[in-house]
Amino acid sequence: MKALFLKMLVSSFVLFEVATLHAQEVERLLFAEKFSDSEPTLEVQSILPKEERLSSVQRGVINMIMSDDIPDSVRICANVAAELWQPYLNNKYPIQLAVYYTDFDTDNDIQVEVSYYQNENVYYPISLYSYLYDVDFSGQASTADALIYINKATAWDCSYHDEVNTSTRSLTYAMMRAIAISLGFGSSVTQKSIRGEDIIAFGYKEGHSAFDNFIFSSEGKFLKDISNVGNHENQELSAFAQPATDVSLYALKQDAAHKLYAPANFEVYKSLVYLDNEKSLMHYDLKTGTKQFRIDDTTVELLDAIGWETNAPKDVEIVGQGIDDTGLASAYDNHHFVLQNHNGGAITNAQWTYILPMADGKDSVISKSEGNLVFDIEAIGDETQFQINMNGDISGQIVFTGTINGKEVEDVFYLSLELKPRIKEVNILKKESNYPLDSYDLYYTVEYVGSDHLFIQVEEEYGVGMESQFVYEPFFAHVVSKYITAPFYNWVDIKAENEYGEDIYTIELPPYAGNGMSFIANGKSERKSGKTGYSYIEVFNEHGNNMGHIRNLEDLHSYGKGLYILKFYVNNVCVKTTKYLKS
């Protein structure tokens, strides 16, 4: 509390809204978290398959704003956390969250600074205010909707596999909680230093937050009825926030799932912010050894209560032929959409719009149609011109607008166009000798999209068989290939595949001597593995420049280290393309 970095940041600046709204003050509230070191757990809630997460009727947009110097593993965790939250939102204007990977002057692991905007004495996170009142703040504010700070000194776990240990601090788990806070989860009641004394107080100069309005005690007292006037200790608030042992605090409903964490002694950044519900993502105890990648119903229910609810009845509804409620469809096929009229009146001024995100992140209208109640879109041609999300899909929108008896009606169908998988990057972390055995273990990471698992084969120069394994860790896999024969060349083939195709990435490993190994093979040998049978192989560097033709993979020995793209030909027909990392 004494450190400047963790003091309550309540500052203001002016935002200028659209013409009908007056400039008002924004206040910024700080939340902070630290993983608990006591009683670590070994608990994993794996990521749901996208078929169970996505919806054609709802999908928000969260933009994680990050500098180029943030490590890839941290960047992926932030983007995955956003991807997991988006199906629960339906915001028209993107939520902008700035992420900083930095040194702290405290032992906290993560902290969130949320900007709130006041309307009729109720404070809403800017993202929620924008959603509720249809106000676009983009380009008008001097800050993002929230700032998320990650302590770079923390030993973060960026994995998605089921293995955990008692020192694990899952960054994606922490980021998912930080996003919930950014959306308005948690009370504004905090601790302030007034004339050298720490007191329990509201975070704002006046009024309460939308979340505060749903907090009440088992005695029937509501937090919103406690006055927020003056810059002094409020005994009524102190008593409410530090309830007696026979009194509990709740948010929205008086049951175990909605019970708030409210110990007898106020804990800044925890009391009235989190739930006393072990099954919830927003449980107050952020334990080491926990990897929770699912959003529970109570968390969603509370955010819906403060204004994020989107399940309003529809006058019209778009239906995709052969596309289920997930909105998942092949990017390589044409698709047909029809309109269902739940109103019963005649529809006029019908207009369809097909929107896709381009590679630069900006939405683009791909096609439009007027005067019809059906709409067709064509298959994706060059997929590289579009933005591909963390699931390996292109997120599209089919928008219908029209008029029924003078009333404007509209609907949006959220389309997820599936592509063949793509291995984006492979990084070798280390080679670990098994001396005195003539072998080593290779540690590496694989960033990939479009599949939830990898198939990996290790092929030895003189071997007659191949060692293989499946790795079930989506997005960013941490892989160990064990007992690779050291004296010879080896090749690690990494394959991601789905129903639309496959992507293969090959690592070439030259003979290795390390940590006491005195042997190393000299010269080149003919391989018996069977990576032959092609007429020729065309070699390109990572920039797409043609480096020439080779007959066998062994001919790559004369090339320098680096990433190459190989095209394998049989009778002048390309039958396979693979990435090839020569180490």
Side-chain angles (χ1 to χ4, degrees):
M1 285 296 298
K2 295 181 180 179
L4 178 61
F5 190 57
L6 284 181
K7 283 188 179 295
M8 179 59 59
L9 300 178
V10 182
S11 58
S12 63
F13 51 90
V14 177
L15 296 176
F16 295 96
E17 300 183 21
V18 291
T20 57
L21 298 176
H22 298 289
Q24 297 184 30
E25 192 174 81
V26 165
E27 298 200 35
R28 299 161 75 186
L29 212 57
L30 185 71
F31 300 82
E33 281 210 273
K34 183 181 185 302
F35 278 84
S36 171
D37 291 324
S38 61
E39 299 182 5
T41 61
L42 292 175
E43 180 182 347
V44 176
Q45 281 193 344
S46 59
I47 295 173
L48 287 170
K50 66 180 179 181
E51 291 81 2
E52 298 179 38
R53 290 187 278 111
L54 299 184
S55 169
S56 64
V57 299
Q58 182 170 304
R59 183 178 66 224
V61 179
I62 301 176
N63 290 336
M64 308 301 281
I65 306 168
M66 293 175 278
S67 60
D68 293 337
D69 60 348
I70 289 183
D72 286 346
S73 57
V74 174
R75 171 183 54 78
I76 293 168
C77 286
N79 285 328
V80 169
E83 188 73 36
L84 295 176
W85 262 112
Q86 286 176 160
Y88 296 94
L89 303 168
N90 204 18
N91 52 301
K92 178 178 179 180
Y93 306 109
I95 298 169
Q96 309 285 355
L97 303 180
V99 179
Y100 299 92
Y101 187 64
T102 186
D103 293 310
F104 282 21
D105 58 358
T106 71
D107 61 354
N108 285 321
D109 294 311
I110 197 164
Q111 52 195 52
V112 188
E113 188 179 333
V114 187
S115 295
Y116 283 81
Y117 198 76
Q118 183 193 157
N119 183 59
E120 297 181 354
N121 232 28
V122 177
Y123 283 85
Y124 301 91
I126 287 182
S127 57
L128 177 56
Y129 186 93
S130 176
Y131 169 72
L132 290 174
Y133 296 100
D134 196 22
V135 179
D136 184 7
F137 286 119
S138 62
Q140 302 176 42
S142 59
T143 184
D145 297 326
L147 312 177
I148 300 176
Y149 297 92
I150 301 168
N151 191 342
K152 66 191 307 182
T154 299
W156 291 110
D157 178 2
C158 296
S159 68
Y160 300 101
H161 50 61
D162 292 339
E163 298 177 11
V164 293
N165 58 59
T166 55
S167 62
T168 295
R169 288 170 173 81
S170 171
L171 181 54
T172 300
Y173 173 35
M175 287 295 298
M176 291 172 67
R177 291 164 64 97
I179 291 175
I181 294 294
S182 302
L183 296 173
F185 196 100
S187 172
S188 70
V189 177
T190 186
Q191 187 170 287
K192 291 181 179 179
S193 181
I194 304 297
R195 292 179 289 277
E197 181 182 0
D198 289 339
I199 67 169
I200 298 171
F202 289 101
Y204 316 114
K205 294 178 181 178
E206 59 182 15
H208 310 83
S209 72
F211 195 92
D212 290 340
N213 287 339
F214 291 97
I215 296 176
F216 63 96
S217 73
S218 55
E219 296 179 320
K221 188 174 185 62
F222 280 80
L223 178 60
K224 65 182 180 181
D225 295 331
I226 299 177
S227 175
N228 179 17
V229 178
N231 222 3
H232 55 80
E233 184 174 7
N234 184 328
Q235 294 294 340
E236 186 181 13
L237 177 61
S238 296
F240 183 90
Q242 301 179 116
T245 54
D246 60 342
V247 177
S248 298
L249 301 185
Y250 299 91
L252 188 63
K253 296 178 180 178
Q254 189 169 333
D255 58 32
H258 296 79
K259 185 179 178 182
L260 286 173
Y261 180 64
N265 294 316
F266 187 83
E267 294 183 32
V268 66
Y269 304 130
K270 292 182 73 171
S271 290
L272 281 68
V273 174
Y274 295 100
L275 297 172
D276 190 359
N277 173 3
E278 290 186 349
K279 296 181 180 179
S280 174
L281 170 72
M282 303 306 286
H283 183 238
Y284 72 87
D285 194 2
L286 184 62
K287 289 186 177 181
T288 57
T290 299
K291 296 164 74 172
Q292 187 167 335
F293 302 136
R294 300 186 186 183
I295 301 168
D296 59 288
D297 292 341
T298 304
T299 298
V300 174
E301 184 182 15
L302 289 172
L303 288 173
D304 282 348
I306 68 173
W308 288 107
E309 180 66 59
T310 58
N311 297 321
K314 293 182 177 182
D315 290 309
V316 295
E317 183 179 1
I318 300 170
V319 176
Q321 189 174 44
I323 304 175
D324 62 24
D325 291 341
T326 64
L328 290 166
S330 171
Y332 308 108
D333 295 330
N334 299 338
H335 296 289
H336 179 72
F337 299 87
V338 299
L339 191 73
Q340 289 186 350
N341 184 350
H342 301 307
N343 184 287
I347 299 176
T348 58
N349 303 320
Q351 180 169 300
W352 296 82
T353 308
Y354 176 33
I355 302 170
L356 291 179
M358 307 307 291
D360 61 5
K362 297 180 180 179
D363 287 341
S364 178
V365 174
I366 305 302
S367 62
K368 301 179 74 171
S369 175
E370 296 181 0
N372 299 306
L373 299 185
V374 296
F375 185 59
D376 294 299
I377 64 173
E378 296 183 352
I380 293 294
D382 179 12
E383 63 192 56
T384 62
Q385 63 181 311
F386 301 105
Q387 185 180 70
I388 300 174
N389 62 29
M390 291 298 296
N391 290 320
D393 307 332
I394 301 173
S395 299
Q397 297 179 45
I398 307 295
V399 181
F400 176 86
T401 60
T403 305
I404 299 179
N405 299 328
K407 176 186 176 183
E408 292 186 1
V409 294
E410 65 177 350
D411 190 33
V412 180
F413 187 100
Y414 293 99
L415 189 65
S416 295
L417 294 171
E418 295 185 294
L419 301 164
K420 69 178 184 178
R422 183 161 59 98
I423 298 174
K424 300 174 70 174
E425 189 170 14
V426 176
N427 284 309
I428 296 176
L429 303 179
K430 64 178 179 178
K431 297 176 182 178
E432 191 173 85
S433 170
N434 295 318
Y435 184 80
L437 298 178
D438 296 346
S439 68
Y440 61 93
D441 298 338
L442 181 72
Y443 293 77
Y444 51 101
T445 59
V446 183
E447 182 183 355
Y448 68 110
V449 295
S451 181
D452 59 1
H453 68 276
L454 298 169
F455 179 65
I456 295 173
Q457 290 183 311
V458 180
E459 183 179 359
E460 180 190 325
E461 184 173 14
Y462 289 101
V464 294
M466 291 187 286
E467 295 292 329
S468 62
Q469 64 174 314
F470 285 95
V471 176
Y472 293 93
E473 185 183 3
F475 305 118
F476 193 70
H478 298 72
V479 190
V480 183
S481 293
K482 291 182 171 292
Y483 303 110
I484 296 175
T485 305
F488 311 115
Y489 273 91
N490 290 270
W491 292 265
V492 180
D493 289 335
I494 305 165
K495 180 191 292 186
E497 57 185 338
N498 63 18
E499 61 182 296
Y500 305 105
E502 63 182 30
D503 195 14
I504 302 175
Y505 197 119
T506 300
I507 305 173
E508 179 185 276
L509 300 169
Y512 171 72
N515 299 338
M517 293 181 182
S518 58
F519 53 81
I520 186 165
N522 295 314
K524 293 186 291 186
S525 303
E526 182 179 353
R527 298 171 60 209
K528 301 178 182 179
S529 62
K531 278 187 181 286
T532 58
Y534 302 104
S535 303
Y536 61 92
I537 305 169
E538 200 169 19
V539 182
F540 299 83
N541 64 17
E542 60 183 316
H543 304 295
N545 299 320
N546 194 318
M547 306 295 291
H549 296 74
I550 57 176
R551 296 301 301 269
N552 300 291
L553 286 177
E554 286 79 5
D555 297 334
L556 277 174
H557 292 174
S558 61
Y559 285 69
K561 294 181 179 180
L563 178 65
Y564 297 93
I565 309 298
L566 305 183
K567 293 188 175 183
F568 295 78
Y569 286 83
V570 175
N571 298 327
N572 294 322
V573 176
C574 181
V575 295
K576 183 175 75 169
T577 300
T578 180
K579 304 182 186 77
Y580 194 99
L581 181 63
K582 191 170 188 296
S583 63

